[in-house]
């Protein structure tokens, strides 16, 4: 068992997801564990048919406030990660959603992140620009932070220590959507923080539409750049 792991979070299981997970495992299994973490709310998979693939399944829809403040538009993957971490204990977790892809050598990226003894590494880029552009900010109540931050969270790296601090905060105040909570709590508490951009990585991502970002990936992809959302994984060069 490695000290850190990659959590590949998905709400669907199909051939393209298998191909993605096997690619990730081939790239980084020598220094990080790779977990396929499946939201089994709709369907539980009994047999993957893949050897050596670590699988964790849980019906995330049953977790209180998984759909943030009752909005079906706001599933909260952080709660899925916390549920996984209750059973599988690592020093750090690198979470990836199933529709973010990297144009570059993933093993080099993961090895560089894996070497960092920090509490939180996040995406700094926001092409929308400004907190007011992200409507879940309107759901926040009783904000205790002097400054509020936002970070896209399709991929982030978090320590078990910080994950515990997040859980304790949410017991007191569960009105922060996770894309506001992670960076705001991290910067207010002065934990050890880096940004993926500090290492030279770039991000072409937003909420969508997927066709726009799939076009960019296919026709104008840049080195060491993450793209999201990529719903059609058949176009990805794994």
């Amino acid at each position: 068992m490695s000290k850190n792991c990659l959590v590949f979070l998905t709400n669907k299981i199909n051939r393209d997801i298998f191909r993605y997970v096997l690619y990730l495992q081939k790239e980084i299994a020598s220094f990080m564990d790779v977990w396929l973490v499946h939201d089994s709310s709709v369907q539980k998979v009994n047999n993957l048919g893949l050897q050596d693939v670590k699988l964790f399944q849980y019906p995330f829809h049953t977790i209180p406030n998984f759909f943030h403040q009752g909005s079906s538009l706001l599933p909260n993957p952080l709660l899925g990660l916390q549920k996984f971490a209750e059973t599988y204990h690592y020093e750090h977790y690198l979470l990836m959603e199933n529709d973010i892809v990297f144009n570059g050598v993933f093993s080099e990226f993961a090895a560089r992140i894996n070497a960092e003894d920090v509490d939180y590494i996040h995406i700094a880029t926001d092409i929308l620009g400004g907190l007011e552009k992200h409507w879940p900010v309107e759901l926040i109540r009783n904000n205790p932070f002097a400054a509020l931050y936002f970070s896209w969270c399709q991929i982030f790296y978090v320590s078990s220590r910080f994950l515990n601090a997040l859980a304790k905060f949410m017991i007191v105040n569960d009105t922060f959507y996770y894309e506001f909570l992670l960076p705001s709590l991290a910067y207010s508490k002065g934990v050890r923080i880096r940004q993926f951009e500090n290492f030279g990585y770039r991000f072409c991502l937003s909420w969508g539409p997927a066709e726009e970002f799939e076009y960019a990936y296919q026709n104008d992809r840049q080195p060491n750049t993450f793209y999201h959302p990529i719903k059609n994984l058949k176009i990805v060069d794994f």
Side-chain angles (χ1 to χ4, degrees), residues 38-153:
H38 176 227
D39 177 3
S40 60
S41 301
V42 176
Q43 181 181 12
K44 186 174 183 179
V45 177
N46 295 319
N47 183 11
L48 280 179
L50 297 176
Q51 293 183 346
D52 301 324
V53 172
K54 297 179 176 65
L55 173 67
F56 176 84
Q57 297 189 93
Y58 193 88
F60 292 155
H61 293 195
T62 65
I63 300 174
N65 205 34
F66 178 74
F67 289 105
H68 188 68
Q69 302 298 299
S71 173
S72 61
L73 298 175
L74 298 176
N76 191 337
L78 174 61
L79 297 181
L81 174 60
Q82 289 175 327
K83 180 58 66 175
F84 169 80
E86 289 176 6
T87 302
Y88 296 100
H89 307 292
Y90 290 87
E91 292 182 15
H92 295 86
Y93 302 84
L94 176 61
L95 181 140
M96 284 182 62
E97 296 185 3
N98 65 5
D99 56 355
I100 185 169
V101 300
F102 180 57
N103 184 45
V105 181
F106 192 85
S107 59
E108 293 179 359
F109 161 77
R112 191 161 190 180
I113 299 306
N114 187 59
E116 291 293 318
D117 186 21
V118 297
D119 292 300
Y120 179 48
I121 305 179
H122 70 95
I123 300 170
T125 304
D126 181 10
I127 64 173
L128 295 185
L131 297 175
E132 70 282 356
K133 300 295 184 180
H134 303 278
W135 66 268
V137 71
E138 300 172 3
L139 301 174
I140 294 173
R141 299 292 181 268
N142 301 318
N143 175 22
F145 304 122
L148 197 60
Y149 297 90
F150 173 90
S151 174
W152 294 108
C153 289

Side-chain angles (χ1 to χ4, degrees), residues 5-236:
C5 73
L6 184 150
V7 171
F8 184 83
L9 199 64
T10 183
N11 60 357
K12 59 184 178 182
I13 298 287
N14 57 35
R15 190 175 300 274
D16 290 328
I17 294 296
F18 287 164
R19 189 165 65 98
Y20 200 165
V21 172
L22 290 173
Y23 160 75
L24 294 171
Q25 185 163 296
K26 180 181 178 181
E27 287 284 299
I28 70 172
S30 63
F31 58 89
M32 289 183 80
D33 288 346
V34 177
W35 281 90
L36 175 58
V37 175
H38 176 227
D39 177 3
S40 60
S41 301
V42 176
Q43 181 181 12
K44 186 174 183 179
V45 177
N46 295 319
N47 183 11
L48 280 179
L50 297 176
Q51 293 183 346
D52 301 324
V53 172
K54 297 179 176 65
L55 173 67
F56 176 84
Q57 297 189 93
Y58 193 88
F60 292 155
H61 293 195
T62 65
I63 300 174
N65 205 34
F66 178 74
F67 289 105
H68 188 68
Q69 302 298 299
S71 173
S72 61
L73 298 175
L74 298 176
N76 191 337
L78 174 61
L79 297 181
L81 174 60
Q82 289 175 327
K83 180 58 66 175
F84 169 80
E86 289 176 6
T87 302
Y88 296 100
H89 307 292
Y90 290 87
E91 292 182 15
H92 295 86
Y93 302 84
L94 176 61
L95 181 140
M96 284 182 62
E97 296 185 3
N98 65 5
D99 56 355
I100 185 169
V101 300
F102 180 57
N103 184 45
V105 181
F106 192 85
S107 59
E108 293 179 359
F109 161 77
R112 191 161 190 180
I113 299 306
N114 187 59
E116 291 293 318
D117 186 21
V118 297
D119 292 300
Y120 179 48
I121 305 179
H122 70 95
I123 300 170
T125 304
D126 181 10
I127 64 173
L128 295 185
L131 297 175
E132 70 282 356
K133 300 295 184 180
H134 303 278
W135 66 268
V137 71
E138 300 172 3
L139 301 174
I140 294 173
R141 299 292 181 268
N142 301 318
N143 175 22
F145 304 122
L148 197 60
Y149 297 90
F150 173 90
S151 174
W152 294 108
C153 289
Q154 290 86 1
I155 183 170
F156 62 87
Y157 185 71
V158 64
S159 70
S160 59
R161 183 179 78 140
F162 187 44
L163 204 58
N164 290 334
L166 290 161
K168 291 178 181 177
F169 180 90
M170 285 188 288
I171 292 173
V172 177
N173 187 334
D174 66 355
T175 67
F176 282 78
Y177 192 48
Y178 77 120
E179 292 176 322
F180 292 97
L181 177 58
L182 276 105
S184 297
L185 185 61
Y187 284 101
S188 72
K189 294 296 184 183
V191 301
R192 298 164 298 178
I193 305 170
R194 300 294 303 275
Q195 300 171 351
F196 290 117
E197 289 87 345
N198 297 153
F199 305 97
Y201 299 107
R202 296 183 292 182
F203 292 84
C204 178
L205 84 172
S206 184
W207 60 269
E211 293 80 8
E212 175 183 337
F213 294 89
E214 289 170 355
Y215 180 88
Y217 175 80
Q218 287 183 289
N219 298 285
D220 190 30
R221 76 182 74 169
Q222 302 298 312
N224 289 329
T225 302
F226 285 88
Y227 292 84
H228 173 277
I230 306 296
K231 300 296 185 182
N232 180 13
L233 292 176
K234 291 181 174 61
I235 69 174
V236 181

